[in-house]
Amino acid sequence: MLKSLKGRLVVLFTAFLLFPLLLFIIVFNVRVESLFEGYASAQQDQRIQQVVSQVTDLFQTERGVVSLTGLETIGNAALQNGMVLHVTALEYEIDWDISTHRSEECQLMLQHREKNMHSRYPNFEGGYEQRSVDLTYNGLVIGEIVIGYYGPYTFDDGELTLINSLNKIFVILAVTFLALAVIFGVALAVNLAKPMTTASTLAKRISHGDYGAKINERYSLKETQALINAINDMSETLQTKEQQKRRLTADVAHELRTPLSNLQGHIEAVIDGVWEPTLELMESCHEEICRLTQIVNLLLELDKYEDGRVELQCEQFKVTDFFESLESSFKLAAQEKGIKLKTELDHEDALCLADQSRLKQCMVNLISNALRYTSPGGSVTVSYQDQASAYIYSVSDTGIGIAPEDLSQIFERFYRADRSRTTHTGGVGIGLTITKAIVEMHGGIITVDSKRNQGTIFTISLPRNTIAPYD
Ligand code: ADP
């Protein structure tokens, strides 16, 4: 069975807090008990010693002619302190035993002491004990003092009350600490469990399709906040992916609809006998099919890049050679259109580390766009700059430019600034999206700057330190 975090934390917290406390109480109690035991034994010895010296003094002061009243006084006082006094000095005709005079009180006192000890220690092994000491007078042993008591040691009422009170204090302390431990444990558990519950509720919402749902509360615990941040990020990513998926479906449907309905119209016209299946008509159908194939191929390619399924093969190459191959690819097209194609390099020996063939794909996209949107008589310039932290490529033209409201969307899939013209020129609106994906795979950025009817400049910046050579 799964246990709740709250329950487990309370138990753990209580156990961690109580264990040292109980240990302390046990050790302290044992120590106090042994101290009390020592104290009680010492007290017993002291009292016996006191009685002995009182009896000896009595013989000394009364010069051997001891009155029984004196012995009685000492015996009664000793009885109050838990002792049964018996004094024998046969030479002086003394054999005084308090238990013969006050037998009942002696019994009661011994029973009381026994009860005291058993109330504290139910298994206390005690019994009646006696200690005999020589009675001396003028340096001579004249008899014997025998003191009986409940031993080996006993507590009187005062001592018993004290030790019981101490024990009660320990019990109260333990209960108080237990209550505090439970309160703190619950508070801590609630504190820790709450974000977990919130996180799991959010995760459940996300799993039910509520992408973009977030927790805005801030938590003071670093780990908790990291968990919440991770779930928030995941939710945001899923939302973006979902939006991309929806947009892609809509875009693709939109893009495929025109060539498909053209094809459908042409073929239906032939079937209905409205049009003859002439070569011209077939060419028109072929053109539409080629466009459909081009869209599908570009989409598949873009998907590979966006999905991260393409591995870059970065190598070092000479930028002059790279530019020469670009120039030879576009020389003819530029000449035919009457556009001047120029290359600019800040130094001839420049070396660049990148995936050359994919970078070429980017440059081909940019240069063909520049040629496409520049009128005869204009110019297209391809340039390279070697910077300390980046390789900078740019393609600028003196063409029609891009309207400011289109600039921010120019890298979006299927986005064409002038739809009617670009459809005519054969543009699909995926070239720049692919270019941006390739640049970003290198860890770089692509920017655009344009002025209507003056020209456009695209700049690719590839960071030097994040590109690793392919092996
Ligand atoms: P396309 O295949 O339509 O050229 P791109 O993604 O390469 O698709 O470009 C998207 C749109 O950006 C183009 O349709 C065009 O409107 C605009 N564009 C791109 N490059 C230039 C440029 N050099 N000058 C003016 N407009 C441009």
Side-chain angles (χ1 to χ4, degrees):
M1 204 182 83
L2 287 176
K3 293 191 174 82
S4 80
L5 175 72
K6 206 187 282 181
R8 179 152 300 182
L9 275 175
V10 169
V11 171
L12 279 179
F13 196 75
T14 312
F16 274 120
L17 213 83
L18 268 192
F19 179 70
L21 179 78
L22 283 180
L23 200 73
F24 169 75
I25 288 176
I26 290 168
V27 171
F28 193 73
N29 231 6
V30 168
R31 185 83 193 105
V32 165
E33 292 287 349
S34 80
L35 272 176
F36 255 81
E37 194 183 308
Y39 169 77
S41 298
Q43 281 290 98
Q44 189 81 299
D45 288 348
Q46 205 181 329
R47 283 186 206 126
I48 290 172
Q49 208 48 53
Q50 209 175 350
V51 173
V52 170
S53 51
Q54 278 171 352
V55 174
T56 314
D57 285 354
L58 187 72
F59 270 78
Q60 205 65 47
T61 41
E62 298 192 358
R63 299 178 185 278
V65 191
V66 175
S67 72
L68 290 178
T69 329
L71 276 179
E72 217 171 305
T73 313
I74 298 171
N76 283 341
L79 186 60
Q80 294 299 315
N81 284 323
M83 287 171 286
V84 178
L85 179 65
H86 181 191
V87 180
T88 45
L90 294 179
E91 254 181 76
Y92 295 86
E93 290 175 354
I94 286 178
D95 184 1
W96 188 84
D97 188 348
I98 193 165
S99 59
T100 51
H101 300 285
R102 305 183 70 174
S103 144
E104 205 178 328
E105 278 109 317
C106 287
Q107 281 307 314
L108 280 175
M109 180 279 294
L110 288 171
Q111 277 167 9
H112 183 69
R113 289 282 167 143
E114 187 180 8
K115 210 173 108 200
N116 270 5
M117 293 314 283
H118 279 119
S119 73
R120 176 83 203 133
Y121 311 109
N123 299 322
F124 188 76
E125 284 176 7
Y128 184 70
E129 288 185 13
Q130 280 186 331
R131 199 177 297 176
S132 72
V133 181
D134 288 342
L135 174 62
T136 52
Y137 175 56
N138 287 340
L140 292 171
V141 176
I142 57 158
E144 194 181 22
I145 305 169
V146 179
I147 296 169
Y149 55 91
Y150 185 84
Y153 62 90
T154 52
F155 295 147
D156 63 23
D157 290 351
E159 289 161 350
L160 193 69
T161 313
L162 180 65
I163 196 163
N164 281 342
S165 306
L166 270 178
N167 259 55
K168 253 183 224 155
I169 290 172
F170 285 142
V171 170
I172 292 169
L173 264 182
V175 171
T176 314
F177 267 81
L178 180 70
L180 282 179
V182 171
I183 291 169
F184 280 122
V186 170
L188 183 77
V190 167
N191 224 345
L192 281 180
K194 196 174 159 248
M196 300 269 185
T197 316
T198 319
S200 75
T201 314
L202 177 69
K204 232 178 255 167
R205 277 175 63 195
I206 296 171
S207 75
H208 286 118
D210 189 359
Y211 305 136
K214 272 186 183 179
I215 298 170
N216 294 318
E217 259 170 85
R218 305 290 304 169
Y219 294 93
S220 49
L221 270 184
K222 210 166 74 181
E223 288 77 5
T224 312
Q225 192 56 50
L227 172 74
I228 301 295
N229 286 351
I231 298 184
N232 281 348
D233 289 350
M234 180 184 77
S235 179
E236 206 177 297
T237 311
L238 283 172
Q239 188 185 34
T240 316
K241 290 269 174 212
E242 179 66 10
Q243 282 166 354
Q244 275 175 354
K245 200 176 84 187
R246 289 214 183 115
R247 217 179 52 218
L248 177 67
T249 316
D251 288 350
V252 171
H254 184 82
E255 289 302 316
L256 297 185
R257 199 174 49 192
T258 317
L260 277 175
S261 64
N262 284 349
L263 268 177
Q264 192 184 2
H266 292 350
I267 291 168
E268 278 174 6
V270 173
I271 292 171
D272 294 345
V274 181
W275 285 353
E276 286 291 314
T278 57
L279 183 65
E280 205 183 319
L281 187 71
M282 286 299 125
E283 275 173 2
S284 165
C285 287
H286 182 249
E287 220 173 84
E288 297 294 0
I289 290 170
C290 286
R291 187 166 167 76
L292 282 171
T293 315
Q294 187 195 8
I295 293 175
V296 171
N297 286 342
L298 283 171
L299 277 173
L300 285 174
E301 196 182 347
L302 179 63
D303 181 52
K304 266 195 305 182
Y305 289 122
E306 288 188 336
D307 220 30
R309 275 185 281 133
V310 177
E311 205 182 315
L312 290 180
Q313 303 198 342
C314 295
E315 57 187 350
Q316 206 159 44
F317 56 88
K318 280 185 82 176
V319 183
T320 6
D321 296 345
F322 181 60
F323 271 25
E324 264 168 30
S325 98
L326 283 172
E327 239 181 325
S328 65
S329 303
F330 287 100
K331 212 159 137 186
L332 199 67
Q335 258 174 21
E336 275 175 2
K337 217 180 159 186
I339 295 171
K340 204 169 165 195
L341 181 64
K342 296 184 281 183
T343 53
E344 283 174 2
L345 259 120
D346 57 355
H347 67 98
E348 292 294 312
D349 306 320
L351 289 172
C352 174
L353 178 66
D355 185 326
Q356 194 179 175
S357 72
R358 302 211 189 275
L359 183 63
K360 187 167 180 184
Q361 196 180 346
C362 297
M363 297 303 279
V364 167
N365 281 343
L366 297 180
I367 299 168
S368 50
N369 274 349
L371 291 174
R372 189 183 292 158
Y373 302 111
T374 302
S375 315
S379 69
V380 170
T381 310
V382 184
S383 63
Y384 173 81
Q385 264 187 340
D386 218 358
Q387 284 190 357
S389 59
Y391 311 109
I392 313 283
Y393 291 88
S394 64
V395 177
S396 61
D397 62 56
T398 55
I400 58 169
I402 303 165
E405 64 271 18
D406 291 325
L407 272 183
S408 60
Q409 299 170 77
I410 212 80
F411 296 103
E412 302 262 320
R413 200 189 331 244
F414 294 122
Y415 193 82
R416 278 160 285 169
D418 186 339
R419 206 162 270 264
S420 58
R421 186 185 357 224
T422 46
T423 307
H424 174 69
T425 54
V428 171
I430 297 182
L432 283 181
T433 320
I434 291 180
T435 304
K436 186 172 179 244
I438 294 175
V439 171
E440 284 175 354
M441 276 180 76
H442 280 82
I445 50 165
I446 178 166
T447 53
V448 58
D449 196 10
S450 184
K451 278 210 175 79
R452 223 42 183 134
N453 300 319
Q454 284 187 32
T456 307
I457 177 165
F458 282 93
T459 309
I460 291 176
S461 166
L462 303 180
R464 279 171 175 273
N465 49 1
T466 55
I467 303 171
Y470 179 77
D471 44 31

